[in-house]
Amino acid sequence: IVPSADVAKILVGNLRKLVETVGSVSELARRSGINRQQLNKNLAGSHLPSIETLALLGESTGTPMQNLFEPPLPKSMLAVSM
C-alpha cells in the first residue's frame, strides 16, 4: 500500500511529465479544456485534480488515467500525439 502523500507526489510528477511531453502548461490546458491557473495549482501540488480533471487530461493526451498513479511513469507510457 502506497501512503496517500506518496500517491500525490507520484501524480504531480506524472502531470509534470505530461506538460513536458506536450511542451507547456498552456498547451496541456488548451488540449484538455482545463483552466491554466487550476492546472498550475495541480502541478504545484497545492490542489489535487478531481477525477473529472484527470479524465480530461488522460483523454486529451491518450494516457490512461490509471497510468498517472503509477510510479515512475516512463515517457514511453505517455501516448501524446503531436
Side-chain angles (χ1 to χ4, degrees):
I1 298 175
V2 178
S4 60
D6 291 340
V7 171
K9 287 179 186 176
I10 291 165
L11 177 60
V12 169
N14 286 332
L15 292 177
R16 289 179 182 152
K17 286 185 181 182
L18 286 179
V19 170
E20 289 175 22
T21 303
V22 301
S24 70
V25 173
S26 294
E27 178 61 17
L28 184 56
R30 185 193 66 76
R31 286 182 183 214
S32 60
I34 297 168
N35 178 284
R36 185 179 49 82
Q37 290 82 5
Q38 183 60 43
L39 184 54
N40 276 321
K41 290 178 184 178
N42 298 149
L43 292 166
S46 60
H47 291 83
L48 291 179
S50 67
I51 294 297
E52 293 82 10
T53 296
L54 291 171
L56 289 169
L57 290 166
E59 289 171 14
S60 69
T61 60
T63 303
M65 186 170 37
Q66 65 268 19
N67 287 4
L68 296 174
F69 296 94
E70 296 293 326
L73 185 60
K75 283 192 176 183
S76 63
M77 290 182 73
L78 300 172
V80 176
S81 56
M82 295 302 210

